[in-house]
Amino acid sequence: MANIISDETIEYVGILAKLELSSEEKEQAKKDMGNMLDYIDMLNQLDTEGVEPMSHVFPVHNVFREDVVTNGDGHEKTLANAPARKEDAFKVPKTVE
């Protein structure tokens, strides 16, 4: 384990995460963080020459359908039930002076 995490770092991370850790939990967190950093170091040793950066494993295309109106304009049917209307809108009583 080449990456050694200090007690101060664990305290600081605990404060940032708003966690109260017991001494056993702090020791375990130090080991876990050290293991994560060791793994990152191992990944950094890989030869990535010629590998394109990517944000997704699979190619992502526009998955949304076209926005097409299928039921038409039914505003006349809707306004037929209005108790009062003004042009092409519902007319309602004034609520604010």
Side-chain angles (χ1 to χ4, degrees), residues 23-91:
S23 58
E24 296 85 24
E25 290 172 326
K26 287 179 186 177
E27 288 302 316
Q28 185 61 44
K30 282 170 57 173
K31 289 178 189 173
D32 290 343
M33 288 177 75
N35 288 339
M36 284 186 263
L37 292 174
D38 288 341
Y39 188 72
I40 290 169
D41 286 344
M42 184 178 71
L43 290 175
N44 284 334
Q45 295 172 5
L46 293 174
D47 179 26
T48 57
E49 187 68 32
V51 177
E52 276 189 52
M54 63 181 179
S55 60
H56 297 283
V57 176
F58 301 107
V60 177
H61 304 286
N62 186 4
V63 294
F64 298 110
R65 63 176 168 75
E66 287 294 319
D67 190 14
V68 178
V69 177
T70 58
N71 59 351
D73 183 15
H75 77 277
E76 282 301 324
K77 279 181 148 180
T78 304
L79 288 172
N81 294 322
R85 68 188 268 186
K86 182 176 181 181
E87 297 174 17
D88 286 337
F90 286 96
K91 184 175 180 180

Side-chain angles (χ1 to χ4, degrees), residues 9-24:
T9 302
I10 292 297
E11 287 290 331
Y12 183 65
V13 170
I15 290 168
L16 290 176
K18 298 185 186 220
L19 296 174
E20 289 185 28
L21 300 173
S22 67
S23 58
E24 296 85 24

